[in-house]
Amino acid sequence: MATLPFFDRDLSWLSFNARVLQEAEDPAVPLLERLTFLAIFSSNLDEFFRVRVAWLRHLKRLKKRKKRGVRPGKLLKQIHRTVDQQQERFGRVFREELLPALAEAGVVLVNEQTVAPAHGPFLERYFDEHVRAHLEPCDLLPGAEPPFLVNHALYLVLERLGAGDVDFGADASAITLLRVPTEQSPRFVPLPATEGRQAVIPLDDLIRYNLGRVFPGEDLGPAYAFKLSRDADLYLDDEFQGDLVDKVRASLAKRSTGVPSRLLYDQRTPYLLVDHVKRCFDLEHEDLVMGGRYHNFRDLFSFPALDAPGLRFPPLPPTPHPALASAEVLFDAIRDQDQLLHLPYQRYDEVLRFFDEAAADPAVESIFVTLYRVAKDSGVTRALMEAARQGKTVTAFVEVKARFDEAGNLYWAEQMTHAGVRVLYSLPHLKVHTKLAHVTRREDGMLRHYAYLGTGNFNEKTARIYTDFGLLTADPRLAEEVGRVFELLETLRKRTGRSVAPGSTEAAQQGPSFTHLLVAPHALRPRVAALLDHEIAEAQAGRPAGLTLKVNNLEDPTLIEHLYRASQAGVPIRLLVRGICRLVPGVEGISTGIEVRSLVGRFLEHARLYWFHHSGAERLYLASADWMTRNMDRRVEVAFPIYDPAVHQELTHVLDLQWHDTVKARVLDADLRNAYHRPPQAPVLDAQQAHYAWLAERVSG
């Protein structure tokens, strides 16, 4: 049999980030939103280099010519080539499109040379009051110990020629480093408005303007910007010994001291200056990545707000949930019928209200919840603490290995512990990624189970920008099994940490069994495989079959091979994949029956849905799990069936909207292109806008 095709994971991710860049390039997107997409693109790329590129660099340093099918050196070259091309597009859209458009809107981005002379006193005064005290010039002397470069910090490097009383010794000049203090001052500083026009100067240019006052009497060369990204991968999944919480605390400091993974520098920087920096900091040639004049474009998130109309997306205030918002007691509405929340189109208030009512209700006896990424000002954790103070049994399972959220999770875990909440921490060999809450309530002398099952975190901030679904249910088939998931977590905590093969008999005996929920790591993969096998059998028998899958990432080789077999058997397959997609569609004899589309728009698509035709008795699951090896084998995940016919209909309607999107959907093909899905004669359909309008009509109707 011929070798099956797979896209490289990292190149596929870069293709996803290119779709983000497309949003910044799209003139139909409002101007300031385009700036935001540049910020998202930049932030995404920073994390990619800190984690994925750092991992490849480790492999290369270990002389691993090939690891898990990857040739690190060759792949790194492909990555840098792709990133260079994307950075050129980035710079072009910023310089040639967005800056002129900002000027037309009355906002001019100025630098140290183009700023109006009338603004000179303001620039000097602002520099003296807010910046000067935070500048610590450092000469990069040959053979001397260089300063430590802070991860993601912005630096200026310049050449200073000897002048006045300055003595540079035997050398005629010195190379000097300045850190731009973006933590103490905004990156973009508004200048006093003149004649109805607003000038904004980047902080780095404001410093350039005042360099002569920092080094009086010296002959200064141009100041060029650079920044360093450091390895952020803590490899906690491989650390099975000792107290995991202490390991996370100790490892957080490594984020700022990790080995370099990228030095981004201004492409106009003279070679001798770049080489000097490279040698001073013991960098390799492949650490160097050319960029434009400005770095850290993630700071565009904080670009000064403008009042001109049409520069932002029209507001889409979250709508109330038709049944929950009008319910006097939330538990009554949930008991009567399953209730589905569409986030961020509907208010997150009902999730907070679920916890608040549980905390205040005398009939509630216990609350269990899994917390993966907690908001900075978390109403959920505050409700849990109040419930504990009210004497209820409250247990929170806190995942402290949630990348880049460890510190916040640890903070809230400590606060909850002090308030009397029983806090359970990460399992040494697994991440708990499922998003569940379980409440027991005494009604008529008996315990009734209520549950919240979601595709997204209990996080008020992300609930405003991520599209997710949350199911509130009292269906015993689901709610009681959610309670068993917490029994499973208790069982796994008592294990020694040794690995157990997913799907094995021993794994199945690690805790309670599940009839309705598909629970990783021991049952999700085999249950999904069985559902796929059913579709294959139906297609081979000449009967209708089909699969629609919506995930963030499709990466697992075994499941992709299963999808290839299904396609070869004649199963029509529709895939909605936002990010990584290693499956190659449209390959003759392998994947001709598979279509892949990706939706990137105003909100971040985050929900996971699995739909199977299943002989006409459709099976529809919402899930916390992508189809990635880590989700199937190294995380506790839950996919849950939708039994309520009304909820089932809501979800299939949303799937249909997204599949027929002709505004934000891209078609993924065998060449990793991102062509928009715009078939001739098809009506204009923005699925996210249509989703919101449909929900708004349900409220008004």
Side-chain angles (χ1 to χ4, degrees):
M1 181 178 177
T3 302
L4 293 174
F6 290 91
F7 287 128
D8 174 78
R9 168 191 168 135
D10 295 310
L11 296 179
S12 177
W13 184 90
L14 287 173
S15 179
F16 153 68
N17 213 30
R19 296 192 283 278
V20 176
L21 185 56
Q22 282 181 320
E23 290 299 294
E25 295 171 322
D26 186 353
V29 175
L31 176 58
L32 293 185
E33 305 294 352
R34 295 173 70 182
L35 287 179
T36 299
F37 279 111
L38 286 184
I40 295 170
F41 172 90
S42 180
S43 179
N44 286 349
L45 197 59
D46 281 341
E47 181 176 337
F48 177 74
F49 270 87
R50 294 183 69 195
V51 179
R52 295 299 303 177
V53 172
W55 179 77
L56 291 169
R57 294 291 306 280
H58 280 305
L59 293 184
K60 187 179 179 184
R61 288 191 175 101
L62 292 172
K63 308 297 183 184
K64 298 290 186 181
R65 288 180 53 83
K66 191 170 183 178
K67 179 74 171 176
R68 299 179 187 173
V70 174
R71 295 185 182 277
K74 179 180 179 181
L75 180 55
L76 282 167
K77 290 179 180 178
Q78 291 176 293
I79 287 172
H80 284 293
R81 185 165 56 247
T82 301
V83 169
D84 286 346
Q85 294 169 351
Q86 292 181 356
Q87 293 280 29
E88 288 181 13
R89 290 170 55 189
F90 185 106
R92 185 168 58 250
V93 70
F94 182 68
R95 293 188 306 271
E96 301 177 14
E97 297 183 29
L98 299 187
L99 289 184
L102 278 170
E104 288 184 13
V107 176
V108 181
L109 194 68
V110 298
N111 59 39
E112 77 281 8
Q113 295 177 336
T114 62
V115 66
H119 282 132
F122 172 86
L123 293 174
E124 293 181 0
R125 185 170 62 254
Y126 187 95
F127 178 81
D128 290 339
E129 294 176 359
H130 301 286
V131 181
R132 183 190 287 273
H134 304 293
L135 291 183
E136 298 179 359
C138 178
D139 294 335
L140 301 180
L141 302 175
E145 182 71 20
F148 179 79
L149 297 181
V150 176
N151 178 62
H152 280 182
L154 183 63
Y155 291 90
L156 295 177
V157 61
L158 69 152
E159 187 176 15
R160 297 162 55 204
L161 304 178
D165 297 329
V166 180
D167 181 10
F168 291 130
D171 293 329
S173 65
I175 307 300
T176 299
L177 196 67
L178 288 170
R179 180 178 174 183
V180 179
T182 53
E183 294 181 356
Q184 289 79 24
S185 178
R187 175 68 185 284
F188 297 99
V189 180
L191 304 180
T194 57
E195 299 179 356
R197 294 177 67 80
Q198 174 69 65
V200 176
I201 189 168
L203 183 60
D204 22 334
D205 285 336
L206 188 146
I207 293 172
R208 288 183 174 107
Y209 183 90
N210 286 280
L211 280 177
R213 302 171 65 235
V214 178
F215 306 107
E218 298 184 27
D219 187 6
L220 305 176
Y224 300 97
F226 74 86
K227 75 166 182 178
L228 187 75
S229 297
R230 294 184 176 276
D231 177 359
D233 199 338
L234 305 185
Y235 303 106
L236 292 174
D237 287 343
D238 297 325
E239 297 181 10
F240 298 153
Q241 304 298 320
D243 180 25
L244 188 58
V245 175
D246 289 342
K247 286 186 177 181
V248 172
R249 293 185 192 279
S251 297
L252 284 175
K254 297 179 185 177
R255 286 267 162 84
S256 60
T257 60
V259 297
S261 60
R262 178 177 67 152
L263 181 83
L264 184 64
Y265 66 95
D266 185 343
Q267 61 187 351
R268 302 170 307 151
T269 311
Y271 171 77
L272 291 178
L273 204 56
V274 175
D275 188 62
H276 187 88
V277 171
K278 172 187 167 188
R279 286 186 286 107
C280 275
F281 294 100
D282 195 25
L283 302 173
E284 299 180 16
H285 179 72
E286 62 188 22
D287 293 326
L288 309 179
V289 177
M290 285 194 301
R293 173 184 173 91
Y294 301 107
H295 309 318
N296 274 1
F297 275 88
R298 70 178 188 276
D299 292 337
L300 286 171
F301 283 123
S302 60
F303 194 82
L306 306 176
D307 294 330
L311 298 183
R312 290 286 186 192
F313 285 127
L316 294 180
T319 65
H321 187 282
L324 297 178
S326 60
E328 185 175 343
V329 178
L330 209 60
F331 291 109
D332 292 343
I334 299 169
R335 187 171 59 250
D336 291 342
Q337 183 180 355
D338 286 359
Q339 305 291 345
L340 182 70
L341 281 167
H342 301 245
L343 304 170
Y345 309 106
Q346 292 177 326
R347 300 183 314 201
Y348 196 70
D349 301 36
E350 273 61 57
V351 178
L352 299 177
R353 183 181 167 194
F354 176 72
F355 287 102
D356 286 338
E357 287 194 11
D361 189 343
V364 169
E365 297 188 357
S366 67
I367 305 172
F368 292 82
V369 65
T370 58
L371 299 174
Y372 189 75
R373 296 191 191 278
V374 183
K376 185 176 181 179
D377 185 18
S378 173
V380 173
T381 56
R382 295 186 192 283
L384 295 174
M385 291 188 285
E386 178 60 27
R389 286 190 282 265
Q390 294 294 327
K392 305 181 191 306
T393 300
V394 184
T395 303
F397 196 101
V398 179
E399 180 53 75
V400 296
K401 293 178 291 182
R403 179 171 281 146
F404 303 125
D405 282 276
E406 300 94 341
N409 287 1
L410 285 169
Y411 168 80
W412 280 115
E414 291 173 350
Q415 297 300 308
M416 288 189 292
T417 299
H418 292 323
V421 176
R422 179 173 177 248
V423 176
L424 309 179
Y425 290 101
S426 299
L427 302 168
H429 57 300
L430 293 169
K431 278 189 179 181
V432 178
H433 189 249
T434 186
K435 294 89 168 66
L436 301 175
H438 179 259
V439 172
T440 58
R441 188 170 186 260
R442 189 159 296 278
E443 300 174 3
D444 299 325
M446 300 180 62
L447 281 182
R448 183 182 290 273
H449 300 261
Y450 294 84
Y452 177 92
L453 304 95
T455 65
N457 297 300
F458 292 106
N459 187 307
E460 297 94 304
K461 181 179 178 180
T462 58
R464 295 195 296 268
I465 54 177
Y466 289 15
T467 70
D468 274 305
F469 295 107
L471 184 72
L472 287 160
T473 182
D475 186 328
R477 293 171 293 183
L478 301 177
E480 291 181 15
E481 288 203 356
V482 168
R484 290 185 210 163
V485 173
F486 289 95
E487 294 177 21
L488 173 66
L489 295 177
E490 292 276 16
T491 302
L492 292 173
R493 284 185 68 249
K494 297 174 184 176
R495 295 283 166 174
T496 61
R498 62 186 176 84
S499 297
V500 178
S504 66
T505 301
E506 187 176 359
Q509 294 173 347
Q510 283 191 339
S513 60
F514 300 91
T515 302
H516 304 280
L517 303 184
L518 281 54
V519 181
H522 65 268
L524 179 57
R525 181 187 290 279
R527 294 281 293 276
V528 165
L531 288 163
L532 285 170
D533 285 338
H534 183 89
E535 300 304 320
I536 291 172
E538 290 294 284
Q540 289 173 336
R543 293 188 287 269
L547 163 68
T548 299
L549 174 67
K550 174 179 168 59
V551 289
N552 300 327
N553 300 295
L554 174 58
E555 173 269 346
D556 182 76
T558 302
L559 291 175
I560 291 174
E561 290 176 10
H562 219 133
L563 290 171
Y564 285 153
R565 291 200 300 274
S567 176
Q568 293 163 22
V571 179
I573 298 173
R574 305 188 308 178
L575 304 177
L576 285 161
V577 185
R578 186 198 78 215
I580 298 166
C581 179
R582 295 198 62 203
L583 180 146
V584 183
V587 178
E588 187 66 32
I590 297 177
S591 58
T592 50
I594 303 177
E595 294 182 82
V596 188
R597 295 178 194 166
S598 182
L599 200 64
V600 176
R602 174 173 182 166
F603 300 117
L604 180 79
E605 291 294 330
H606 190 252
R608 295 91 164 178
L609 294 89
Y610 318 157
W611 177 91
F612 302 88
H613 181 270
H614 207 74
S615 305
E618 298 177 5
R619 297 285 182 90
L620 178 61
Y621 294 84
L622 290 175
S624 60
D626 287 317
W627 283 22
M628 303 181 74
T629 302
R630 70 186 187 191
N631 297 95
M632 296 289 163
D633 299 341
R634 300 194 299 275
R635 291 187 173 187
V636 176
E637 304 271 17
V638 172
F640 48 98
I642 300 302
Y643 290 137
D644 188 289
V647 174
H648 189 285
Q649 188 175 13
E650 288 182 42
L651 291 169
T652 54
H653 176 69
V654 172
L655 275 178
D656 188 63
L657 285 177
Q658 296 203 345
W659 186 253
H660 292 96
D661 184 290
T662 58
V663 175
K664 296 299 182 182
R666 282 77 158 174
V667 177
L668 304 191
D669 60 16
D671 297 315
L672 278 179
R673 293 176 296 191
N674 288 314
Y676 284 93
H677 173 244
R678 289 172 182 168
Q681 311 304 319
V684 175
L685 175 63
D686 183 325
Q688 292 188 345
Q689 293 282 350
H691 191 167
Y692 177 82
W694 170 65
L695 292 172
E697 284 179 11
R698 294 175 64 200
V699 175
S700 60

